[in-house]
Amino acid sequence: MSETTSAAETAAPHRYTAAMAADIEARWQDFWDAEGTYEAPNPTGDLAGDPELAARPKKFIMDMFPYPSGAGLHVGHPLGYIATDVFARHQRMTGHNVLHTLGFDAFGLPAEQYAVQTGTHPRVSTEANIENMTAQLRRLGLGHDKRRSFATIESEYYKWTQWIFLQIFNSWYDAEADRARPIAELVEQFESGACPTPDGRDWSALSAIERADVLGGYRLAYASDAPVNWSPGLGTVLANEEVTADGRSERGNFPVFKAKLRQWNMRITAYADRLLNDLDGLDWPEAIKLQQRNWIGRSEGARVDFPVDGSDSITVFTTRQDTLFGATYMVLAPEHELVERIIPAAWPEGTHAVWTGGYASPAEAVAAYRKLAAAKSDVERQAEAKDKTGVFTGAYATNPVSGEKVPVFIADYVLMGYGTGAIMAVPAHDARDFAFARAFELPMRCVVEPSDDRGTDPSTWEDAFASYDAKLVNSANDEISLDGLGVVDAKARITEWLTTHGVGEGTVNFRLRDWLFSRQRYWGEPFPIVYDEDGIAHPLPESMLPLELPEVDDYSPRTFDPEDADTRPETPLSRNADWVNVTLDLGDGSGPKKYRRETNTMPNWAGSCWYELRYLDPNNDQKLVDPAIEQYWMGPREGQPTGGVDLYVGGAEHAVLHLLYARFWSKVLHDLGHISSAEPFHKLYNQGMIQAFVYRDSRGIAVPAAEVEERDGQFYYQGEKVSRVLGKMGKSLKNAVTPDEICTEYGADTLRLYEMAMGPLDVSRPWDTRAVVGQYRLLQRLWRNVVDEETGEVTVVDTEPGEETLRALHKAIDGVGQDMAGMRFNTAIAKVTELNNHLTKAGGPLSRSVAEPLVLLVAPLAPHIAEELWRRLGHTGSVVHQDFPVADPAYVVDETVTCVVQVKGKVKARLEISPSITDEELEALALADPAVVAALDGAGIRKVIVRAPKLVNIVPA
């Protein structure tokens, strides 16, 4: 402490300082905890409370689940938490029962990787991180109902995550009813014959394995052998949504390859239409809705069957069925299951040499090409490579409209992840097909009339011609002709023909794939599934939940060379034989039997798919959630037709992954009657990011930002010049500022005010520690307006304030209230600052009728100082549940406003008038003003434009 500061504090011992702020904040945080100030009563159950409070309109406000990192918080992390806290406090003060709490999403890769490095059990490190983060968040004065907090790693919580998995496993999607139904109802239909089995045999004639396979084709959670995203460097498989645009793992940035493995999946594709359509009723940013729509990727087209020599058919999905006559070859994804069945023993006679890849047989060519394709990521396969690669399978299919035999290739530019994993190639009208046809000397047929002068012989073209605004040509057989039709009419006609002839039909396709739900990790929820000796999956009965994670010595999955695509997963749980191999009585009448547990774990997304429901009823060990409680907080109501959380705040980076998965789980639980809300989050708000300057030396390595000096606009670290760019804040970039540092130097209320004042909440903004002091001084001026710095006595008086002060006060009340409701916290703070400055300049002690509403205006933003001042003003109750001030309309409207009068576009007069003046009254006043009369100088008037009360524009004749 400097001598000057020490002297100032001696002269003013009751000044608002960092030390005083620390004392005030600690005392009020203890008070709130002891009094349960932020406890929101449920309408019923163990958390029921004050019935009068529960009878108020409810408001459920949520932050996106934080992950308890070992690095702790930097000042960028609490931005959203402070914003929701300010909003929640304002909602409490405007008559709402507010549920606001925070838990921890604690399963996942970071804790497991830390455990692998240090030998510390993931639970130990995670719980230590939670304890540290909880202390940091408490210091910010966040008004959370702590009774409702939990971590996803608690067995009491993941018991219900496992229970939800079983509900999904034991359900199927009834397309006619457009909802999920219990799988038992489908079994009844098979048993009665109401629903035929796939091969037409009686249900009773099927073996147990066959029945399990049939039901697996319907279950919403199912295990299957399918192409998956395999990351050898992580030792686990990934969902499509966890793979970046450049074909690498979202976490760790490792290469991702396609591999065929047996994994658990969620049939989210059954809900594609509902996930798409229900976006319309949600109050979400349009950019997030667009990302979800694009990810779901609905497209209308046709399914077309191309018979192959033998008994198989290749089914394709196309959005340009009008060009079917132009299909001159076909391409399958290298992983397509038909490939093995259709390749002949030898090349057909006359096979073009360029088609064979130089191999002696189709089998050798296909095997070699598959190996090459497997080593590429999806992004690499879809890239516009100069040289197209592929190989002929040796098989031919028949174009169903032309009757021509067309060769079937495999090529890596066709993926199993879209459509059927097969395409009909129309090289004259598709750029990739055109390049492939040129490379392999394949025929091309023009079936869409070019609009330029290139003619109709594709062998002379430089590129493909693709158009939706053209006429069809060369598209006729003995039964149908599309010649002369536009694209829309041609599509309709050919689709009808395909349907009539049983070789296709109009259909809808989606980009969305089923959700890969297995992870080869330790630190996740165990699957409540066991396998019998025949490999049939059996769900554990509810009485055996939770299935807890066993203790293991080695937490790491086996990882491999990141570039080695030929590797396969090995899970940590598979090494624990005593846990894997068990004898159980599942209560199905068969008695105790030997089973093998599932050794994969659920992905880290599982726990965050339903956590909003646990906040409602966190101690319930009998039900997922009490229906009456769920209905109260999240049920459908006017303006919220599908129900859900009233406000959900978090980063835009979760646009697809978390939000899409949570919506899917909510819809399943709603269909099965467990909850009334079909959507989890009604209103979504994406906060921006707090950025910070990153300083790098000549090697490009980040240096500590706090030790960088600025000289003449240049930046130096230890004498060496460094570069500066604005970027993320983080420990690795050596530019992190912790909230603890700011709280120590200025207090938590100052930090809260600064983060809210930096700019609009949804816009990213740079952190500047030097600017924090501005909000600190605001609080000091507020304190001085109420408390004498020398004596500590309250200085307010009971006299009535003047009219100018009343107008300033009520305008602030009106503006701050609107800004709070609209989450415009930066402008709310500006209005509070303006009012406080007015009161400071006015001088003299504040009237109580001004001081009290001033404190209440500040309360949501800076709750600790507001509590302290409220108590010093003589109130015994907390400020938290006081009514937010209401503006007197008479003082909100200006007594007079200035009207500008223009003649020939130039200002000639300014009139002080009533804001309620009419156009006619204002025109008369303007024309009578001496300055206007002089400016007109007897000239006639052609037109008078009046915009009461601000403008009159006179146009002389």
Side-chain angles (χ1 to χ4, degrees):
M1 183 183 295
S2 68
E3 290 183 13
T4 304
T5 304
S6 179
E9 290 183 356
T10 301
H14 297 280
R15 175 171 294 172
Y16 183 82
T17 61
M20 179 182 283
D23 174 65
I24 290 172
E25 288 163 3
R27 280 192 289 106
W28 282 107
Q29 288 161 16
D30 290 342
F31 173 87
W32 294 330
D33 285 351
E35 296 295 317
T37 302
Y38 303 108
E39 292 178 358
N42 279 343
T44 186
D46 66 314
L47 298 187
D50 181 359
E52 185 178 332
L53 184 53
R56 293 182 177 184
K58 63 89 189 180
K59 196 68 74 171
F60 185 6
I61 299 167
M62 269 182 64
D63 303 276
M64 287 191 182
F65 237 179
Y67 186 86
S69 163
L73 298 176
H74 60 63
V75 292
H77 292 125
L79 178 67
Y81 306 148
I82 295 171
T84 53
D85 186 62
V86 173
F87 184 73
R89 289 175 181 278
H90 178 255
Q91 291 297 300
R92 286 190 192 94
M93 296 177 75
T94 52
H96 293 83
N97 182 22
V98 177
L99 193 167
H100 189 211
T101 191
L102 195 71
F104 296 94
D105 191 13
F107 276 126
L109 201 55
E112 186 172 286
Q113 289 178 324
Y114 183 77
V116 171
Q117 293 165 7
T118 64
T120 306
H121 193 287
R123 180 176 296 279
V124 173
S125 59
T126 301
E127 289 178 346
N129 294 344
I130 290 173
E131 184 176 353
N132 178 54
M133 191 168 172
T134 299
Q136 286 186 294
L137 292 170
R138 184 181 189 272
R139 193 171 182 182
L140 299 174
L142 303 177
H144 293 150
D145 184 343
K146 296 182 179 180
R147 305 170 303 166
R148 300 174 184 266
S149 183
F150 56 81
T152 55
I153 59 175
E154 296 166 6
S155 59
E156 298 86 356
Y157 180 82
Y158 70 74
K159 164 187 175 178
W160 295 105
T161 308
Q162 293 170 336
W163 182 88
I164 295 172
F165 173 84
L166 292 179
Q167 307 312 300
I168 299 172
F169 174 77
N170 285 320
S171 302
W172 64 292
Y173 200 82
D174 184 343
E176 291 184 8
D178 200 21
R179 66 177 182 87
R181 293 173 58 187
I183 199 76
E185 295 180 10
L186 179 62
V187 173
E188 290 175 3
Q189 292 185 27
F190 282 134
E191 289 175 339
S192 68
C195 180
T197 61
D199 64 4
R201 288 186 292 160
D202 288 342
W203 184 251
S204 59
L206 302 184
S207 68
I209 294 176
E210 289 172 327
R211 291 180 186 180
D213 287 344
V214 169
L215 294 178
Y218 289 85
R219 293 184 187 274
L220 289 179
Y222 65 95
S224 70
D225 293 313
V228 295
N229 300 306
W230 165 235
S231 174
L234 284 177
T236 189
V237 299
L238 302 169
N240 288 347
E241 294 84 354
E242 294 173 300
V243 181
T244 64
D246 56 354
R248 303 178 77 85
S249 62
E250 184 185 51
R251 187 175 292 279
N253 198 38
F254 290 109
V256 175
F257 305 97
K258 284 295 182 187
K260 199 165 188 178
L261 300 169
R262 189 161 187 82
Q263 300 289 311
W264 282 97
N265 297 273
M266 294 271 181
R267 207 179 300 275
I268 191 174
T269 49
Y271 282 83
D273 270 323
R274 284 171 60 184
L275 289 168
L276 196 61
N277 296 336
D278 286 357
L279 284 170
D280 294 337
L282 300 180
D283 186 3
W284 286 19
E286 281 304 316
I288 301 296
K289 290 185 179 183
L290 180 62
Q291 287 185 66
Q292 291 226 345
R293 290 188 181 107
N294 290 342
W295 190 264
I296 295 167
R298 187 181 193 276
S299 54
E300 295 186 13
R303 172 186 62 78
V304 186
D305 296 330
F306 285 69
V308 182
D309 295 338
S311 59
D312 285 305
S313 287
I314 298 174
T315 300
V316 302
F317 169 81
T318 176
T319 59
R320 290 300 304 269
Q321 61 268 39
D322 55 301
T323 64
L324 187 52
F325 281 93
T328 57
Y329 66 96
M330 301 192 76
V331 184
L332 301 178
E335 306 89 352
H336 202 292
E337 62 179 7
L338 278 180
V339 174
E340 289 93 343
R341 300 210 299 266
I342 64 174
I343 53 176
W347 295 117
E349 187 176 347
T351 296
H352 198 316
V354 75
W355 294 5
T356 68
Y359 290 93
S361 70
E364 292 176 55
V366 166
Y369 188 78
R370 279 180 151 179
K371 189 170 184 178
L372 288 172
K376 294 184 181 180
S377 70
D378 281 0
V379 173
E380 290 173 321
R381 287 172 57 171
Q382 289 179 296
E384 293 292 344
K386 183 178 180 181
D387 298 321
K388 293 297 178 186
T389 64
V391 71
F392 179 41
T393 63
Y396 284 85
T398 301
N399 185 320
V401 292
S402 68
E404 295 176 353
K405 295 285 188 181
V406 294
V408 181
F409 285 74
I410 59 171
D412 58 12
Y413 76 96
V414 177
L415 305 176
M416 283 303 298
Y418 181 79
T420 64
I423 66 163
M424 63 176 208
V426 184
H429 308 294
D430 180 272
R432 289 189 175 186
D433 296 347
F434 184 93
F436 191 90
R438 278 284 166 88
F440 288 88
E441 302 177 19
L442 289 157
M444 292 188 268
R445 179 178 297 111
C446 174
V447 293
V448 179
E449 187 175 42
S451 55
D452 50 28
D453 59 0
R454 68 175 66 197
T456 58
D457 180 5
S459 66
T460 66
W461 296 356
E462 293 298 320
D463 54 16
F465 173 76
S467 175
Y468 281 86
D469 185 22
K471 291 183 178 181
L472 275 294
V473 295
N474 301 324
S475 299
N477 62 26
D478 293 341
E479 300 178 4
I480 184 174
S481 174
L482 307 181
D483 292 345
L485 295 179
V487 171
V488 174
D489 290 339
K491 280 185 176 184
R493 183 171 294 184
I494 193 65
T495 301
E496 182 181 359
W497 187 90
L498 290 168
T499 304
T500 301
H501 287 73
V503 291
E505 62 180 349
T507 188
V508 174
N509 192 59
F510 294 91
R511 179 180 181 268
L512 181 68
R513 299 293 92 192
D514 281 346
W515 173 15
L516 179 67
F517 200 70
S518 299
R519 295 297 181 274
Q520 289 69 50
R521 315 297 307 191
Y522 167 71
W523 194 231
E525 298 92 340
F527 281 91
I529 294 289
V530 292
Y531 299 91
D532 64 22
E533 293 176 346
D534 293 323
I536 298 173
H538 296 267
L540 291 181
E542 187 176 332
S543 61
M544 291 187 180
L545 302 182
L547 172 60
E548 298 191 26
L549 268 178
E551 296 294 324
V552 299
D553 295 325
D554 183 1
Y555 314 114
S556 58
R558 185 180 177 191
T559 55
F560 305 89
D561 179 341
E563 303 289 345
D564 189 352
D566 291 331
T567 51
R568 290 296 178 266
E570 179 187 296
T571 67
L573 291 179
S574 65
R575 298 191 284 265
N576 190 331
D578 291 341
W579 184 82
V580 173
N581 301 303
V582 290
T583 299
L584 300 172
D585 185 347
L586 300 182
D588 55 5
S590 61
K593 292 174 63 176
K594 290 182 179 180
Y595 295 97
R596 175 177 51 84
R597 294 196 192 278
E598 172 61 69
T599 59
N600 287 307
T601 53
M602 298 186 198
N604 60 300
W605 307 104
S608 60
C609 276
W610 71 281
Y611 70 120
E612 71 283 356
L613 298 172
R614 192 62 174 175
Y615 283 154
L616 308 182
D617 198 11
N619 304 319
N620 198 332
D621 61 358
Q622 300 300 311
K623 289 182 179 179
L624 178 73
V625 60
D626 183 292
I629 295 173
E630 188 272 337
Q631 175 70 47
Y632 173 85
W633 288 111
M634 290 185 61
R637 61 204 65 221
E638 186 176 353
Q640 299 183 16
T642 50
V645 173
D646 297 290
L647 176 65
Y648 192 40
V649 175
E653 66 271 16
H654 297 291
V656 173
L657 282 160
H658 159 60
L659 291 173
L660 198 63
Y661 296 158
R663 295 182 64 215
F664 166 54
W665 276 36
S666 282
K667 291 185 182 304
V668 177
L669 291 170
H670 174 264
D671 286 357
L672 298 176
H674 299 300
I675 59 176
S676 65
S677 49
E679 285 283 343
F681 314 115
H682 172 70
K683 180 178 177 64
L684 175 69
Y685 190 100
N686 296 131
Q687 89 272 14
M689 181 187 299
I690 289 183
Q691 299 170 306
F693 287 111
V694 183
Y695 299 89
R696 297 185 184 277
D697 62 20
S698 58
R699 301 166 299 168
I701 296 174
V703 301
E707 298 175 30
V708 171
E709 298 178 1
E710 182 179 357
R711 298 198 298 267
D712 301 323
Q714 302 295 323
F715 303 95
Y716 297 86
Y717 172 69
Q718 295 181 351
E720 179 192 351
K721 190 175 179 181
V722 294
S723 64
R724 184 181 81 163
V725 295
L726 192 61
K728 287 185 176 182
M729 181 180 285
K731 186 176 180 181
S732 64
L733 297 173
K734 299 183 181 179
N735 62 355
V737 178
T738 69
D740 307 66
E741 296 172 54
I742 305 302
C743 288
T744 298
E745 190 166 355
Y746 298 106
D749 280 339
T750 295
L751 173 62
R752 291 169 60 101
L753 278 175
Y754 177 65
E755 295 217 358
M756 293 299 96
M758 291 171 75
L761 183 59
D762 59 348
V763 175
S764 293
R765 73 293 303 271
W767 176 267
D768 183 359
T769 298
R770 294 169 300 179
V772 177
V773 71
Q775 301 308 317
Y776 181 56
R777 288 170 181 157
L778 167 62
L779 294 179
Q780 289 183 315
R781 289 193 296 270
L782 170 67
W783 182 265
R784 278 197 299 270
N785 277 330
V786 179
V787 177
D788 187 295
E789 291 184 335
E790 292 184 14
T791 66
E793 297 298 318
V794 171
T795 59
V796 301
V797 294
D798 291 327
T799 57
E800 286 301 309
E803 185 164 325
E804 186 179 356
T805 293
L806 284 172
R807 288 193 178 280
L809 172 66
H810 287 278
K811 281 186 178 181
I813 291 171
D814 181 60
V816 171
Q818 291 185 49
D819 287 343
M820 290 281 191
M823 300 182 71
R824 297 183 297 273
F825 305 126
N826 60 318
T827 54
I829 292 170
K831 292 178 174 69
V832 169
T833 303
E834 185 180 356
L835 172 62
N836 199 52
N837 289 344
H838 167 85
L839 298 174
T840 301
K841 290 174 184 175
L846 289 191
S847 298
R848 180 173 291 275
S849 60
V850 174
E852 292 190 348
L854 172 63
V855 170
L856 294 174
L857 286 181
V858 171
L861 295 155
H864 307 93
I865 193 173
E867 286 278 27
E868 185 70 15
L869 292 174
W870 191 248
R871 181 61 60 91
R872 291 186 181 224
L873 285 166
H875 300 281
T876 56
S878 168
V879 77
V880 169
H881 291 286
Q882 298 301 313
D883 290 338
F884 198 77
V886 177
D888 184 338
Y891 292 109
V892 172
V893 178
D894 287 330
E895 190 173 16
T896 63
V897 295
T898 301
C899 174
V900 173
V901 183
Q902 296 177 332
V903 178
K904 290 185 179 180
K906 295 183 177 180
V907 177
K908 295 300 179 182
R910 286 183 170 85
L911 309 176
E912 294 298 318
I913 58 168
S914 166
S916 60
I917 195 170
T918 65
D919 284 359
E920 293 77 12
E921 292 170 335
L922 183 55
E923 181 177 341
L925 280 174
L927 293 175
D929 186 87
V932 174
V933 172
L936 288 171
D937 193 23
I941 296 172
R942 181 158 61 90
K943 190 175 185 180
V944 179
I945 302 167
V946 182
R947 297 286 184 267
K950 294 293 182 73
L951 176 68
V952 177
N953 191 9
I954 302 168
V955 183

